């Protein structure tokens, strides 16, 4: 801790700010207090500006330990504000997952989060759901079709059969050659097809993925979209 504080002091006054993005669950009575020790050392120094991000409940729970901080409350952003935040991050997320998503799908995700995840806050819940839906689309799009999986299974069975029969490496290679060429050809065609037409998440895809994640019938989601009252928040027992 001493060396860390010394290093922080060396850059003090150079527009540097120490940001602690979350309050570890280990902070508390009879638990690891390394963060509290660090904060005490920083406050004694009085040269290092520090920002600690935590929830209101966390602050109340550790109000005594965090009494040196000036509390600044940040309100939950509105749907429109959340949309701007999500759109500023969506490009990086698309590149990461190698999956596109259209504007209508982003709006749909934010709407679903507002209606069915009332116990979570914007923008975190929208970003988490978006990440999950992109990952789901990627897994489906980049998973080889069953026809390729069957050829691969054939190769495995033939290789095992050759081993049981005591065939030489050369005999095994000749036996598998035709199947392996068939496999490589089929896989290459599939990969080229995927690369020429990268997957894109539509609003319908977003609803389907959300419904699967939270065990909701898609018909119920579409009903609420059509203005029918349907309180599903009690069914939301799983979280991302």
């Amino acid at each position: 801790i001493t060396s860390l504080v010394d290093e922080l002091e060396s850059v003090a006054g150079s527009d540097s700010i120490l940001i602690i993005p979350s309050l570890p669950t280990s902070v508390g009575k009879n638990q690891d207090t390394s963060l509290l020790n660090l904060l005490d050392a920083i406050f004694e120094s009085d040269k290092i500006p520090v920002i600690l991000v935590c929830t209101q409940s966390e602050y109340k729970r550790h109000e005594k330990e965090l009494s040196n901080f000036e509390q600044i409350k940040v309100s939950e952003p509105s749907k429109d504000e959340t949309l701007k935040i999500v759109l500023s991050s969506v490009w990086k997320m698309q590149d990461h997952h190698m999956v596109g998503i259209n504007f209508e799908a982003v709006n749909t995700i934010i709407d679903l989060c507002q209606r069915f995840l009332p116990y979570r806050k914007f923008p975190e819940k929208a970003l988490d759901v978006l990440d999950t839906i992109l990952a789901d689309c990627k897994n489906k799009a980049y998973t080889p079709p069953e026809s390729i999986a069957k050829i691969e299974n054939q190769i495995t069975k033939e290789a095992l059969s050759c081993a049981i029969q005591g065939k030489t490496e050369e005999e095994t290679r000749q036996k598998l050659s035709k199947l392996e060429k068939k496999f490589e050809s089929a896989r290459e065609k599939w990969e080229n097809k995927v690369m020429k037409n990268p997957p894109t998440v539509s609003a319908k895809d977003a609803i389907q993925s959300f419904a699967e994640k939270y065990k909701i019938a898609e018909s119920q989601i579409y009903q609420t979209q059509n203005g029918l009252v349907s309180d599903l928040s009690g069914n939301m027992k799983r979280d991302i």
Side-chain angles (χ1 to χ4, degrees):
I1 291 177
T2 301
S3 61
L4 177 57
V5 171
D6 289 341
E7 184 175 347
L8 291 171
E9 285 183 339
S10 69
V11 296
S14 61
D15 296 327
S16 297
I17 299 175
L18 173 62
I19 299 178
I20 304 173
S22 63
L23 185 64
T25 55
S26 60
V27 175
K29 188 177 180 181
N30 300 322
Q31 295 176 331
D32 180 18
T33 57
S34 58
L35 177 60
L36 294 181
N37 291 335
L38 172 61
L39 293 177
D40 286 342
I42 289 174
F43 289 133
E44 285 179 12
S45 167
D46 198 30
K47 294 180 181 178
I48 307 163
V50 56
I51 295 175
L52 171 64
V53 181
C54 66
T55 64
Q56 186 65 25
S57 60
E58 287 173 335
Y59 182 84
K60 288 181 179 179
R61 192 161 58 247
H62 303 291
E63 190 168 3
K64 182 179 178 180
E65 296 94 331
L66 304 177
S67 59
N68 284 315
F69 282 96
E70 177 186 356
Q71 186 180 176
I72 300 175
K73 295 182 180 180
V74 180
S75 301
E76 180 182 12
S78 65
K79 277 182 67 176
D80 290 341
E81 291 169 334
T82 297
L83 177 61
K84 293 178 181 178
I85 294 171
V86 171
L87 290 177
S88 70
S89 303
V90 73
W91 307 111
K92 290 182 179 179
M93 297 175 76
Q94 287 182 117
D95 289 342
H96 174 71
H97 290 289
M98 298 183 292
V99 170
I101 183 168
N102 61 40
F103 184 77
E104 183 185 3
V106 173
N107 266 320
T108 296
I109 288 172
I110 293 175
D111 183 58
L112 291 171
C113 288
Q114 183 183 50
R115 292 188 288 121
F116 299 124
L117 303 179
Y119 51 88
R120 295 193 60 188
K121 302 293 185 182
F122 280 138
E124 181 185 16
K125 61 183 176 182
L127 291 169
D128 285 349
V129 170
L130 172 61
D131 185 61
T132 298
I133 288 176
L134 289 174
D136 184 48
C137 179
K138 176 183 179 179
N139 290 336
K140 291 177 180 177
Y142 292 99
T143 298
E146 188 178 348
S147 57
I148 293 179
K150 284 183 177 180
I151 300 173
E152 194 170 19
N153 288 335
Q154 279 184 282
I155 293 174
T156 301
K157 289 179 181 179
E158 287 292 345
L160 181 60
S161 176
C162 289
I164 292 173
Q165 295 174 28
K167 294 186 178 294
T168 64
E169 184 177 341
E170 181 61 30
E171 289 174 328
T172 301
R173 188 182 297 112
Q174 291 178 0
K175 182 78 173 178
L176 300 179
S177 177
K178 188 175 180 179
L179 278 175
E180 288 176 341
K181 288 180 180 179
K182 183 179 179 181
F183 173 79
E184 291 299 331
S185 176
R187 188 175 182 85
E188 184 178 357
K189 288 180 181 179
W190 167 71
E191 288 178 345
N192 289 336
K193 182 179 179 181
V194 173
M195 291 305 172
K196 287 180 180 179
N197 300 286
T200 299
V201 176
S202 65
K204 183 177 180 181
D205 296 327
I207 290 174
Q208 182 181 33
S209 184
F210 188 90
E212 289 175 357
K213 175 66 179 178
Y214 289 100
K215 310 301 181 185
I216 310 169
E218 288 184 48
S219 58
Q220 290 178 299
I221 292 178
Y222 285 114
Q223 281 177 350
T224 56
Q225 282 188 321
N226 291 331
L228 298 179
V229 177
S230 179
D231 182 12
L232 300 175
S233 62
N235 296 328
M236 306 296 102
K237 296 182 179 179
R238 297 187 61 188
D239 206 350
I240 288 180

